[in-house]
Structures are given as C-alpha cells and as structure tokens.
Amino acid sequence: MTTTTHNYKALHQDTSIQFIKGIGPKRAQALSRLGYETVGDLFYLFPRKYQDRSRFLPIDKIKVNEHVTLLGEIARIHIRRIKRLQIFELVIRDNTGVVYATWFNQVYLKKIFREGDKVVLSGKVEFYKRLQLSSPEYEILSSEDNEKIHTGRIVPIYPLSEGLWQRTLRSAMNVMVETHADELIEEFLPYSIMKKYEFMDLKDAIKNIHFPESEELLSKARQRIIYNELFLFQFALFKRKKEDKLSKQAFQFKPNPKLIHSFEEKLPFEFTQSQKKVINEIFDDLSKEIPMRRLLQGDVGSGKTVVAALGLLAVVKAGFQAALLVPTEILAEQHYKNISSLLSDWGVRTRLLTGSHDKAVKTNTRYEMKTHNVDIVIGTHALLQEGVKFSKLGLVVIDEQHKFGVRQRAHLIKESEKNLKSPHLLIMTATPIPRTLGLTLYGDLEISTIDELPKGRQPVKTYWITKTKEQDVFSFIVKGLEKNQQAYIVFPLIEESEKQDLQAAKKAFESLSKGVFKDFKVGLVHGKLDSSEKDKVMKEFYQGKIHVLVATSVIEVGIDNPNATLMLIQHAERFGLSALHQLRGRVGRGSQASYCFLFGNPKTDEGKRRLRVLTKSNDGFKIAEEDLLIRGPGDFLGTRQSGVPQFVLANLIQDYSTLVEARKDAQEVERLDPGLEREDNAGLKLKVDEYLKYYEERKV
Ligand code: ADP
Ligand code: MG
C-alpha cells in the first residue's frame, strides 16, 4: 500500500477527512453532506448493510424467487426495444452457466458496463421465459483494485450521496480502518464493564463493523457499538440531571400531610391507591431542597387533575404561587373551572391567562402575578410569553406534555429561575410513555404512574364499523340519547387540509341536526370558534342542554363530561393510534357503559392494525407500546421535540434489555467515581463530555 508518510503522520481524530488517502476535497465535501467532517467521525460512518461475497452462488444453482449474489463476466450487452420501453440487458457467465440481468429505461448503463468486465450482481431471481435478475445491484470489479477489499469476504455497503462511489468509499474506509484504527481509536469503557460482558475492544469493534472477519465477529462488534450508544446516552442524562440538581435550589415546603386528608374529605369520591401513592411521591419531592422534576403519567380518566390540584394547593398554602400550563384554550378553561371549584373552600386566588383574553385583562393578570395578588395561574402558551413573571413561583405543572416541546418546557422554568431559586416541576401526560421511552426520553425526570382507574369504570366498548352500517350506529346512538346519555361525533382536522376538514364537520353538523338527530339539540365546536362561543357550546354540553356534540379533534385532550357515553369517530384512519385512544378517553368517564364507533377505511395494513388494536385494548400503555412499534420513537413524539438522539445502531425497542443494563452500569460508574475524577476514567470523561456537547447541540 502506498500511503504517503505525510498523510499518515498527520492524521488524528480531528483531521479533516480530505486528507485521508483516496478521499480528497471533492469527496470530503460529499461526505460532509452526510454529516462526516473529521477522521474521528468517519470511523462512525457505518455500512448500511453487508453482502457476503466470501462465497458466490454458481449460476447453475440459482432458483426463482431467491435473493442471490453472484460473480460473473459480462459475455454480451444488448439493448432491446419493446414499444417505448428500452431494455438494457447483460448476459453474465461463470464456469457453470449463463444468466441475464435486465434494466428498463436506463440507457446510461451502456456507459458503465463493458464486455469482459467482471461484475458482482445481487438481486432477486425472476422467470420470464428464462431466469433473470431484474435491476440487480451491481458492482464492477477492476483488476487494478485490491480484490480482497471488494470480494472474497463479507463486504460493507455504505450509504452514499452524490459524488460518492461505493468502491472508492470502501477503499478509503479500508485504508482508514487498516492503517489508522489501531493508533487512533482508544478504549474508553471501564475495565469492569468490558469484563462483565466480555466486550470486544473498541478498535476491533470498529474494524469489524466495517470489514467483518465473520458473521460472528460482526455481531459481537454490533453489540459493542450498541452498548456504547446506549451507555453514553444514559450517562449523559445522569450527568445532566445531577448538574441540574446541584446548580439549582428549590423553594422548600413542608406540605402538611393533614392537607391530603382534609382535601379528600371535600371530594365526592376517595382517592385510588395509585393516586395516594403518587401524591405522597409529590409531597416528598416538594419538601426537598432540590427542585422536583417529575413526570406523572396515567391513562385518560385516571384522575391526574385532582392530584395536580392538591399539589397546587400545598404550594399555595405554603405561601407561594403556582402555574398550570396546558396546550389548548378549551382545556385551560376547563381546568380553570375544575380547579377553582376544587379549591373554592381554601381561599385560593385563581386566574386564567390565554391568548384570546383582552389586552386589559392580560395586563391586569400579569400585574397580579408580579405583585403576588394571584396564587394560581392557569394558561396556554400565553404563559410562555416574554414579560410574564411571577413574584414567587413555587410549582409549575404542565398538562399533556407531548403537546409542548422540550424547549418550551425549559423556557418556563428558566424565566422563573431569574428569582434565583427554581420552581418544582410536575409534568402530566395521558399518553403513557412506554417504559422504553420513559427511561430514555425522561432519564432526567422521576416517573410517577397512576396505573389504576377509579372504581366502577367500565372499559369502552369499541367497534370498527364500515360506512354501510352507518344507519345502525346512528339508531344505536339515538337510543342512548333517549336515555339521556350524550354523544360526540368527531371529525379529523389537520393543518394541511384544514379548510376542507372544517367544511366537512360543518356540513355534517347541518345534516345531522336536521336528519337523524332532529329531535335533539346538536352543537358544533372546533378550533376556529372564538373562545366565548366555544365556551357557550361546551357549557351547554356539560349542562346537558346539548345532546350531541359535533367536534373536530379539539376535544382530544382533557374534556371531561361523565354523562357522555357515546362516540363516533369519522375517518378514523386519519388519526394516529395514540390520538384515537385520547379521543376515546372522552367517553367511559362515568359508571355507565360507553361505546366508541370507529368509521374508517384504512388503505394500508398498518392503518388496519391501528384500528384493530383499539377494538381489542383499552390499556393506554399497551396502545402506546404498539404505537411506538408501528411508528418508531421519532414520530411517536414528534421528532424534533422528542429529545431522543438518533442512534446509529441501537434500537430502543429491540435493544431494550441492553438499555436497562447500560443504565444500571452508568449509575454504578457514577456512584463509584462521581465526576469521573479518577485517572482510569479519564478516557470515559472525555468521551462523555464530547457526547454531551453533541447531545445538547442537537436538542436546540
Ligand atoms: P385525567 O387523568 O384524564 O386528567 P381527570 O383528572 O380528568 O382524568 O379525571 C377524570 C374523572 O374522574 C373526573 O371527573 C374526576 O373527577 C374523576 N375522578 C378522579 N379521581 C377519582 C377517584 N379516585 N374516584 C372517582 N372518580 C375520580
Ligand atoms: Mg387531564
């Protein structure tokens, strides 16, 4: 190999990749488009897949429908025309026989292949009068190349971008790995961990990820890298959590435990065991000097609001203010009413702050906040605006966290940290976070779970119905209405097709109120109504003056009317699984049996699976897991906001047990050597800092 000493000597982790032999400025640019800038980066440009070229299948052994990789020589090249189709065809020969490879309408191929070239082809075998490979992947071998890199082994196939060729990149990677890995890659995992799992060295792992010596070693290398990703991620989370706690002090309360009892006495029901447990966890946190960072998760209807109300009360009783942040105005208004009435006997001053209030009202509320003339403010994004300040903010509660980004969450706490002390934070979510994600996403939060519904709740009976049965469903609903029950008819509304969606809901409202439901009062509510109109409709619905509520997805979160037992969801295929579960959670909130009918005609298998899952399960956790499986973690919470880093090899679901192990290990390392001061952890410290930097950067 002719590596110039100049390049060889100069290479270190931070060297720009253009100085690697075989890369140069042009290809470096192409690689930078993929996000790889330095030599250190490039070691982590992993193959997207591998091809086993250690043994090629002899042509006389190939069979229809099999996926094969073979090596042969181009015996002939044809270009044929059938009507307007142009067919490019290679006749490939090896010692055992002949096979065809064909491509449609790809004329440029004639510039690529020459008779006599040796090629590796990989693809599915089909039969059209004869055996052939249609549009196979190909790679032309050249006699000048070191064939040990491109054949005769398990060969890496890299992701490419414009200006990059598989063979050039592979050759360059080979130089990198063969010549520089030993010198540049340093182990950073503590010896105890290496030994515990009998891990492959990082050097060898990197070498085998790129140029596997065998399937077995490849799999060991993958295990090692997957562990790396998960371990570093968990370690970074711990570290951040610790720094957060060290650097900030909370207002400390000693909530009076008797408060729980006297609060409960005024309720028309008793707390469930789950609610009690969670309340104790929250009260414990509030009495500590370090700020609470707690996620409260519980299925729809599990009774999170009363728990939050009690927390707010405890803080106010101790002489502080509190904020409740919610994603929609309807929900803010409902919480406002609920909480005001729950706390009415305690002399708590509660205000609502939303975007649609008059300027004068907002100005006044803000003034009251600043001067501590209000105790609890319940609001939407309006709470997050500049200039909104509390005098003595002790607790922030965020409802339906998944509607807010990580950044917004940080903003509210930061604004108030200008008071030197940090408020406690309680985040509530009714989209239960599957355990997998809980650990990773919220590794910096403690988790409380309400895993029990109040007594007497019955699971909502859910049916997936075709349009042809529409009339039967309507008659069923009418029967329920005659027994004084109430119903929701829900229409999807998404931003992209907002106008048409709204139109559809309005039209349905017209025809339903004149048609099947003509003997009942029908109301319409959607996000475009102004807040007083919405308020009026919702109030009438709670009071039972409106029997049927035609609604767009605005009712998804939080709306609580225990007398509503019937729900019909139109175009259910257009909703996500979790969204459907949330919607369904609007019924089944009282003791009567409830029904949910899903009208939908999903085109994909995935869509059908979603609806089927709902008819089978009422368990929010199961549904969330399923949703995660179907959509993957990025989509599940909205990629940008989720705070989940992109792992290269690790998969949160498949590698869950590794994640749990890595988490324990990270905790242990941190316990034994807090701050990683020990010399033998110096390498790890460097790596973690580097990772943290990368992690924090990509979060903003
Ligand atoms: P979510 O967890 O979805 O926010 P809510 O707090 O809105 O649930 O509670 C749903 C309904 O259940 C409310 O009407 C609430 O008053 C009622 N509820 C809450 N806790 C209990 C309980 N322990 N027993 C009976 N009903 C309860
Ligand atoms: Mg709620």
Short mmCIF file of all heavy atoms in Angstrom, two decimals, residues 233-234 237 240 295 401-402 406 409 433-445 447 633 636-639 641-645 652 659 663 695 699:
data_model
loop_
_atom_site.label_atom_id
_atom_site.label_comp_id
_atom_site.label_asym_id
_atom_site.label_seq_id
_atom_site.Cartn_x
_atom_site.Cartn_y
_atom_site.Cartn_z
N PHE A 233 -25.45 7.66 26.22
CA PHE A 233 -26.68 8.42 26.32
C PHE A 233 -27.18 8.45 27.77
O PHE A 233 -27.52 9.51 28.31
CB PHE A 233 -27.73 7.82 25.39
CG PHE A 233 -29.06 8.49 25.48
CD1 PHE A 233 -29.18 9.86 25.40
CD2 PHE A 233 -30.22 7.74 25.64
CE1 PHE A 233 -30.41 10.49 25.49
CE2 PHE A 233 -31.45 8.35 25.74
CZ PHE A 233 -31.55 9.72 25.66
N GLN A 234 -27.22 7.31 28.39
CA GLN A 234 -27.68 7.25 29.77
C GLN A 234 -26.76 8.03 30.70
O GLN A 234 -27.20 8.73 31.59
CB GLN A 234 -27.79 5.79 30.25
CG GLN A 234 -28.96 5.05 29.63
CD GLN A 234 -30.29 5.73 29.89
OE1 GLN A 234 -30.58 6.18 30.99
NE2 GLN A 234 -31.12 5.82 28.87
N LEU A 237 -27.38 11.65 30.43
CA LEU A 237 -28.61 12.05 31.11
C LEU A 237 -28.40 12.18 32.62
O LEU A 237 -28.84 13.13 33.24
CB LEU A 237 -29.73 11.04 30.85
CG LEU A 237 -30.46 11.14 29.53
CD1 LEU A 237 -31.58 10.12 29.47
CD2 LEU A 237 -31.04 12.53 29.33
N ARG A 240 -26.40 15.28 33.39
CA ARG A 240 -27.18 16.49 33.26
C ARG A 240 -28.12 16.67 34.44
O ARG A 240 -28.30 17.74 34.98
CB ARG A 240 -27.99 16.44 31.98
CG ARG A 240 -27.86 17.71 31.22
CD ARG A 240 -28.65 17.70 29.99
NE ARG A 240 -29.86 16.89 30.17
CZ ARG A 240 -30.88 16.98 29.35
NH1 ARG A 240 -30.84 17.79 28.35
NH2 ARG A 240 -31.94 16.22 29.52
N LEU A 295 -42.40 13.36 36.21
CA LEU A 295 -43.39 13.09 35.18
C LEU A 295 -44.49 12.25 35.79
O LEU A 295 -44.23 11.19 36.35
CB LEU A 295 -42.74 12.32 34.02
CG LEU A 295 -43.68 11.90 32.89
CD1 LEU A 295 -44.03 13.09 32.02
CD2 LEU A 295 -43.06 10.81 32.04
N GLN A 401 -47.86 17.01 28.27
CA GLN A 401 -46.51 17.41 27.91
C GLN A 401 -46.20 17.23 26.43
O GLN A 401 -45.50 18.03 25.84
CB GLN A 401 -45.52 16.60 28.74
CG GLN A 401 -44.23 16.18 28.05
CD GLN A 401 -43.19 17.26 28.11
OE1 GLN A 401 -43.42 18.32 28.65
NE2 GLN A 401 -42.04 16.97 27.57
N HIS A 402 -46.74 16.15 25.82
CA HIS A 402 -46.33 15.88 24.44
C HIS A 402 -46.76 16.98 23.48
O HIS A 402 -46.34 17.01 22.35
CB HIS A 402 -46.82 14.52 23.98
CG HIS A 402 -48.31 14.41 23.90
ND1 HIS A 402 -49.09 14.45 25.01
CD2 HIS A 402 -49.13 14.28 22.85
CE1 HIS A 402 -50.36 14.33 24.63
NE2 HIS A 402 -50.41 14.23 23.33
N VAL A 406 -39.56 20.21 24.30
CA VAL A 406 -38.59 20.22 25.38
C VAL A 406 -38.14 21.65 25.66
O VAL A 406 -37.93 22.06 26.78
CB VAL A 406 -37.37 19.36 24.99
CG1 VAL A 406 -36.31 19.39 26.07
CG2 VAL A 406 -37.80 17.94 24.71
N ARG A 409 -40.65 23.74 27.59
CA ARG A 409 -40.63 23.32 28.98
C ARG A 409 -39.48 24.02 29.70
O ARG A 409 -39.66 24.58 30.77
CB ARG A 409 -40.44 21.81 29.00
CG ARG A 409 -40.20 21.22 30.35
CD ARG A 409 -40.01 19.73 30.22
NE ARG A 409 -38.70 19.33 30.65
CZ ARG A 409 -38.16 18.15 30.39
NH1 ARG A 409 -38.80 17.28 29.64
NH2 ARG A 409 -36.98 17.85 30.83
N ILE A 433 -46.05 6.98 28.46
CA ILE A 433 -44.79 6.78 27.77
C ILE A 433 -44.39 5.33 28.00
O ILE A 433 -44.21 4.92 29.14
CB ILE A 433 -43.69 7.68 28.34
CG1 ILE A 433 -44.18 9.11 28.47
CG2 ILE A 433 -42.44 7.61 27.51
CD1 ILE A 433 -44.50 9.80 27.19
N PRO A 434 -44.23 4.56 26.94
CA PRO A 434 -43.79 3.19 27.14
C PRO A 434 -42.49 3.20 27.94
O PRO A 434 -41.69 4.12 27.81
CB PRO A 434 -43.53 2.69 25.72
CG PRO A 434 -44.33 3.57 24.85
CD PRO A 434 -44.40 4.90 25.54
N ARG A 435 -42.32 2.19 28.76
CA ARG A 435 -41.17 2.18 29.66
C ARG A 435 -39.87 2.47 28.93
O ARG A 435 -39.02 3.20 29.41
CB ARG A 435 -41.10 0.82 30.36
CG ARG A 435 -41.68 0.90 31.77
CD ARG A 435 -41.83 -0.47 32.39
NE ARG A 435 -40.65 -1.31 32.23
CZ ARG A 435 -39.58 -1.24 32.99
NH1 ARG A 435 -39.51 -0.34 33.95
NH2 ARG A 435 -38.58 -2.05 32.80
N THR A 436 -39.77 1.87 27.77
CA THR A 436 -38.59 2.07 26.96
C THR A 436 -38.25 3.54 26.78
O THR A 436 -37.15 3.98 27.02
CB THR A 436 -38.85 1.55 25.53
OG1 THR A 436 -39.88 0.60 25.59
CG2 THR A 436 -37.61 1.02 24.93
N LEU A 437 -39.27 4.28 26.36
CA LEU A 437 -39.03 5.68 26.09
C LEU A 437 -38.93 6.49 27.36
O LEU A 437 -38.18 7.45 27.44
CB LEU A 437 -40.16 6.24 25.24
CG LEU A 437 -39.95 6.17 23.76
CD1 LEU A 437 -41.07 6.90 23.07
CD2 LEU A 437 -38.63 6.78 23.38
N GLY A 438 -39.67 6.08 28.37
CA GLY A 438 -39.64 6.79 29.64
C GLY A 438 -38.22 6.91 30.14
O GLY A 438 -37.76 7.97 30.52
N LEU A 439 -37.51 5.80 30.09
CA LEU A 439 -36.14 5.77 30.57
C LEU A 439 -35.24 6.69 29.77
O LEU A 439 -34.35 7.33 30.31
CB LEU A 439 -35.57 4.36 30.44
CG LEU A 439 -35.90 3.39 31.55
CD1 LEU A 439 -35.31 2.05 31.22
CD2 LEU A 439 -35.35 3.89 32.86
N THR A 440 -35.46 6.73 28.50
CA THR A 440 -34.51 7.44 27.66
C THR A 440 -34.88 8.90 27.55
O THR A 440 -34.10 9.79 27.84
CB THR A 440 -34.49 6.83 26.26
OG1 THR A 440 -35.82 6.70 25.83
CG2 THR A 440 -33.86 5.48 26.30
N LEU A 441 -36.13 9.12 27.16
CA LEU A 441 -36.59 10.48 26.99
C LEU A 441 -36.52 11.27 28.26
O LEU A 441 -36.12 12.41 28.29
CB LEU A 441 -38.07 10.43 26.64
CG LEU A 441 -38.47 10.60 25.23
CD1 LEU A 441 -39.96 10.70 25.17
CD2 LEU A 441 -37.83 11.86 24.69
N TYR A 442 -36.99 10.64 29.31
CA TYR A 442 -37.13 11.36 30.56
C TYR A 442 -36.16 10.84 31.59
O TYR A 442 -36.45 10.81 32.76
CB TYR A 442 -38.57 11.25 31.06
CG TYR A 442 -39.53 11.86 30.10
CD1 TYR A 442 -40.51 11.10 29.49
CD2 TYR A 442 -39.43 13.20 29.76
CE1 TYR A 442 -41.38 11.66 28.58
CE2 TYR A 442 -40.29 13.77 28.85
CZ TYR A 442 -41.27 13.00 28.26
OH TYR A 442 -42.11 13.55 27.36
N GLY A 443 -35.02 10.40 31.12
CA GLY A 443 -34.00 9.94 32.04
C GLY A 443 -33.68 11.01 33.06
O GLY A 443 -33.18 10.74 34.13
N ASP A 444 -33.99 12.26 32.72
CA ASP A 444 -33.72 13.34 33.66
C ASP A 444 -34.92 13.65 34.55
O ASP A 444 -34.92 14.58 35.31
CB ASP A 444 -33.23 14.60 32.93
CG ASP A 444 -34.20 15.07 31.86
OD1 ASP A 444 -35.05 14.25 31.43
OD2 ASP A 444 -34.13 16.23 31.46
N LEU A 445 -35.97 12.86 34.42
CA LEU A 445 -37.14 13.06 35.28
C LEU A 445 -37.41 11.80 36.10
O LEU A 445 -37.11 10.70 35.68
CB LEU A 445 -38.39 13.32 34.42
CG LEU A 445 -38.39 14.48 33.44
CD1 LEU A 445 -39.71 14.51 32.70
CD2 LEU A 445 -38.16 15.79 34.16
N ILE A 447 -40.29 9.33 37.52
CA ILE A 447 -41.58 9.00 36.94
C ILE A 447 -42.56 8.48 37.98
O ILE A 447 -42.21 7.61 38.79
CB ILE A 447 -41.43 7.97 35.81
CG1 ILE A 447 -40.56 8.58 34.70
CG2 ILE A 447 -42.78 7.54 35.26
CD1 ILE A 447 -40.38 7.69 33.50
N PRO A 633 -39.82 5.72 17.51
CA PRO A 633 -39.79 6.74 18.55
C PRO A 633 -39.81 8.17 18.02
O PRO A 633 -40.37 9.05 18.64
CB PRO A 633 -38.49 6.48 19.30
CG PRO A 633 -37.71 5.57 18.45
CD PRO A 633 -38.65 4.86 17.53
N PHE A 636 -43.33 9.15 17.14
CA PHE A 636 -44.20 8.96 18.30
C PHE A 636 -44.40 10.26 19.05
O PHE A 636 -45.48 10.59 19.47
CB PHE A 636 -43.60 7.89 19.21
CG PHE A 636 -44.44 7.58 20.41
CD1 PHE A 636 -45.58 6.80 20.28
CD2 PHE A 636 -44.09 8.05 21.65
CE1 PHE A 636 -46.35 6.51 21.38
CE2 PHE A 636 -44.86 7.76 22.77
CZ PHE A 636 -45.99 6.99 22.63
N LEU A 637 -43.36 11.00 19.23
CA LEU A 637 -43.48 12.24 19.98
C LEU A 637 -43.16 13.47 19.16
O LEU A 637 -43.08 14.56 19.67
CB LEU A 637 -42.56 12.19 21.20
CG LEU A 637 -43.06 11.18 22.21
CD1 LEU A 637 -41.92 10.46 22.87
CD2 LEU A 637 -43.95 11.85 23.24
N GLY A 638 -43.02 13.29 17.88
CA GLY A 638 -42.63 14.43 17.05
C GLY A 638 -41.13 14.56 17.11
O GLY A 638 -40.58 14.95 18.12
N THR A 639 -40.47 14.23 16.02
CA THR A 639 -39.02 14.03 16.02
C THR A 639 -38.25 15.13 16.72
O THR A 639 -37.51 14.90 17.66
CB THR A 639 -38.50 13.99 14.58
OG1 THR A 639 -39.46 13.27 13.81
CG2 THR A 639 -37.16 13.32 14.51
N GLN A 641 -38.95 17.47 18.74
CA GLN A 641 -39.17 17.82 20.13
C GLN A 641 -38.86 16.70 21.08
O GLN A 641 -38.79 16.88 22.27
CB GLN A 641 -40.63 18.22 20.31
CG GLN A 641 -41.03 19.30 19.33
CD GLN A 641 -42.38 19.86 19.66
OE1 GLN A 641 -43.19 19.19 20.26
NE2 GLN A 641 -42.62 21.10 19.26
N SER A 642 -38.68 15.53 20.53
CA SER A 642 -38.67 14.38 21.42
C SER A 642 -37.42 14.30 22.28
O SER A 642 -37.44 13.74 23.35
CB SER A 642 -38.82 13.11 20.63
OG SER A 642 -37.67 12.89 19.86
N GLY A 643 -36.31 14.88 21.81
CA GLY A 643 -35.10 14.80 22.61
C GLY A 643 -34.43 13.45 22.54
O GLY A 643 -33.45 13.21 23.23
N VAL A 644 -34.96 12.55 21.73
CA VAL A 644 -34.29 11.27 21.57
C VAL A 644 -33.22 11.44 20.51
O VAL A 644 -33.50 11.86 19.41
CB VAL A 644 -35.27 10.18 21.06
CG1 VAL A 644 -34.57 8.84 20.94
CG2 VAL A 644 -36.45 10.08 21.98
N PRO A 645 -31.97 11.12 20.85
CA PRO A 645 -30.94 11.28 19.84
C PRO A 645 -31.09 10.19 18.79
O PRO A 645 -31.73 9.17 19.02
CB PRO A 645 -29.65 11.08 20.63
CG PRO A 645 -30.03 10.26 21.79
CD PRO A 645 -31.47 10.56 22.09
N LEU A 652 -34.34 1.36 20.29
CA LEU A 652 -34.88 1.41 21.65
C LEU A 652 -35.77 0.23 22.00
O LEU A 652 -35.90 -0.14 23.15
CB LEU A 652 -35.65 2.71 21.85
CG LEU A 652 -34.80 3.96 21.90
CD1 LEU A 652 -35.66 5.19 22.01
CD2 LEU A 652 -33.82 3.87 23.07
N LEU A 659 -30.39 -1.50 27.03
CA LEU A 659 -30.60 -0.16 27.57
C LEU A 659 -30.69 -0.21 29.10
O LEU A 659 -30.07 0.59 29.80
CB LEU A 659 -31.88 0.44 26.99
CG LEU A 659 -32.31 1.79 27.55
CD1 LEU A 659 -31.38 2.88 27.07
CD2 LEU A 659 -33.74 2.12 27.16
N ARG A 663 -28.00 1.43 31.61
CA ARG A 663 -28.44 2.43 32.58
C ARG A 663 -27.91 2.10 33.97
O ARG A 663 -27.38 2.96 34.67
CB ARG A 663 -29.97 2.45 32.58
CG ARG A 663 -30.56 3.48 33.50
CD ARG A 663 -32.08 3.43 33.36
NE ARG A 663 -32.74 4.22 34.38
CZ ARG A 663 -32.85 5.54 34.35
NH1 ARG A 663 -32.33 6.20 33.35
NH2 ARG A 663 -33.46 6.18 35.31
N TYR A 695 -25.03 16.11 22.17
CA TYR A 695 -26.42 15.88 22.55
C TYR A 695 -27.15 17.20 22.81
O TYR A 695 -28.26 17.42 22.34
CB TYR A 695 -26.46 14.98 23.78
CG TYR A 695 -27.83 14.74 24.33
CD1 TYR A 695 -28.77 14.02 23.60
CD2 TYR A 695 -28.20 15.22 25.58
CE1 TYR A 695 -30.03 13.80 24.09
CE2 TYR A 695 -29.46 15.00 26.09
CZ TYR A 695 -30.37 14.29 25.34
OH TYR A 695 -31.62 14.08 25.82
N LYS A 699 -30.23 19.25 20.46
CA LYS A 699 -31.54 19.44 21.07
C LYS A 699 -32.14 20.80 20.77
O LYS A 699 -33.33 20.98 20.86
CB LYS A 699 -31.45 19.25 22.58
CG LYS A 699 -31.52 17.80 22.97
CD LYS A 699 -31.63 17.62 24.45
CE LYS A 699 -33.03 17.96 24.92
NZ LYS A 699 -33.23 17.54 26.29
#
